[in-house]
Amino acid sequence: MGGPPQPGPQPPSGGGWGPGTPPPFSGAPPQGRGWHPHGLGKPGVIALRPLNVGDVLDGAITAIRRHPLLILGIGAVMAVVNAAIGFLVQRLVLPDLENLTATSRLGPGATEEELQNAVFGAFGDLFLALIPSLLISTLLLTVTTGLMAAVMGRAALGREVSFGLVWREVQPRLLPLLGVAFVYALVTTVGLMLCIIPGVVAWVFWALAAPALVLERGTFREAFARTAKLVSGAFWRVLGILVLAKVIESFFENIIQLPFALGTGVFSQVLNPGKVYVPSTGDLLLASAGQIVSGTIAIPFVTLVTVIVYLDQRMRREGMDIELARAAGVQPPQAW
């Protein structure tokens, strides 16, 4: 006996998937949920169930195939900015490479002190120039991850995705997203430069901060707290998937950039290993063009994988697959 049934928790509308609303049921999943290949269905680019590694990679590729103009357009913009920064950094260290070439011509009459000053001066400046380049590159990747979170927020439900809808989702959180990106890039870069292990730990534990910020509509602090909570207990799994995505990204970039590298003088180093190769401005521009072409696809792939890892962790820990199924119009199985 009792009154009319109370309405359940409202489904998300492409964003705002906060952790405050508990899943409709807890404990053991209902019968039939575990064996179905799509779990509660596949209305969008990923199945609504805990995902394996192949599902995560396939989800990123499927998202690119279904929304190529939007996703590759965002990737192209980020690739152009990244390549431009890389070009400027290489132009900055070009005089040091020329000095290193001059060092090789000092001959046997050069003192040990002259050789050490020339070599350490060149490599010291090169190292200092690479730090801001790595910092900015990580920042751009994090911002792109936030944009791709808005894309996946709709693509996972099979809904329409457009730049206007994505921008409407990200624009109110743009400043916090930039703050998250800056702190994440700074901590991971400094950690990797000073000691590799702290940098890797920060890179993994805070990797999901951008999608948490965008999709949960939280604050700066809440984003970092959420990513640490989601990764906790799954560190090695998240690390493995992110490293695998980076390996695939690196392999793909090397394949794409190979024809562009053939047009430069970089392979003359192989034929004459005693000679220090100093690229010309034309060589740098050609290499930057190859970086733009490869980055247009590689950058979205890595960032989409990161977002899907975030969704997967929430489906595993918080039953978000049920909320997504309801939002997509799929009736989840009833609790026993």
Side-chain angles (χ1 to χ4, degrees):
M1 300 295 292
Q6 299 298 317
Q10 295 300 311
S13 57
W17 298 334
T21 302
F25 58 86
S26 56
Q31 184 178 0
R33 185 183 174 203
W35 62 266
H36 194 279
H38 291 161
L40 301 181
K42 190 177 180 181
V45 298
I46 59 173
L48 302 184
R49 58 167 171 75
L51 307 173
N52 57 40
V53 177
D55 295 327
V56 174
L57 301 179
D58 179 72
I61 296 172
T62 302
I64 295 174
R65 290 175 57 189
R66 291 192 183 181
H67 310 285
L69 292 180
L70 173 62
I71 293 178
L72 297 182
I74 295 174
V77 172
M78 295 301 176
V80 168
V81 175
N82 198 35
I85 294 172
F87 174 80
L88 293 177
V89 169
Q90 292 179 82
R91 285 291 301 166
L92 180 64
V93 302
L94 196 58
D96 294 316
L97 292 177
E98 293 173 346
N99 291 338
L100 194 61
T101 303
T103 302
S104 64
R105 302 194 190 103
L106 290 176
T111 65
E112 183 178 351
E113 183 178 359
E114 289 176 335
L115 292 173
Q116 287 180 350
N117 289 339
V119 172
F120 285 113
F123 282 104
D125 291 344
L126 178 63
F127 182 77
L128 292 176
L130 288 177
I131 291 179
S133 177
L134 180 59
L135 176 66
I136 295 174
S137 176
T138 306
L139 188 147
L140 289 175
L141 278 174
T142 308
V143 172
T144 308
T145 302
L147 294 173
M148 293 303 169
V151 173
M152 284 298 301
R154 304 186 67 86
L157 302 176
R159 293 180 175 174
E160 175 191 0
V161 182
S162 67
F163 180 78
L165 293 171
V166 170
W167 178 248
R168 192 180 309 160
E169 183 72 22
V170 175
Q171 192 269 336
R173 284 165 287 282
L174 186 58
L175 287 180
L177 177 61
L178 291 174
V180 166
F182 177 77
V183 171
Y184 178 65
L186 180 63
V187 173
T188 55
T189 300
V190 173
L192 289 173
M193 291 295 180
L194 298 181
C195 185
I196 293 178
I197 294 180
V200 171
V201 171
W203 178 61
V204 175
F205 268 103
W206 289 356
L208 311 183
L213 176 74
V214 172
L215 292 178
E216 298 182 17
R217 302 177 182 177
T219 64
F220 175 88
R221 291 185 177 182
E222 289 171 346
F224 283 104
R226 285 291 291 153
T227 180
K229 181 178 179 180
L230 291 172
V231 175
S232 179
F235 176 86
W236 295 110
R237 183 176 188 277
V238 175
L239 172 63
I241 295 176
L242 295 181
V243 169
L244 178 60
K246 282 290 185 181
V247 170
I248 295 174
E249 174 199 28
S250 178
F251 177 79
F252 179 80
E253 286 182 332
N254 289 333
I255 295 296
I256 295 296
Q257 293 177 18
L258 181 60
F260 294 89
L262 290 173
T264 68
V266 66
F267 286 100
S268 65
Q269 186 78 28
V270 178
L271 301 177
N272 191 359
K275 179 182 178 181
V276 179
Y277 167 66
V278 179
S280 64
T281 301
D283 291 342
L284 295 180
L285 288 174
L286 192 59
S288 298
Q291 186 178 356
I292 291 172
V293 174
S294 61
T296 297
I297 301 177
I299 291 175
F301 173 76
V302 172
T303 54
L304 284 169
V305 166
T306 303
V307 176
I308 296 174
V309 169
Y310 161 82
L311 297 176
D312 177 51
Q313 287 302 109
R314 290 207 54 190
M315 288 191 289
R316 289 173 179 271
R317 291 176 170 239
E318 300 170 356
M320 195 179 71
D321 49 344
I322 300 171
E323 295 301 309
L324 293 178
R326 287 177 172 168
V330 178
Q331 180 61 38
Q334 300 298 315
W336 286 90

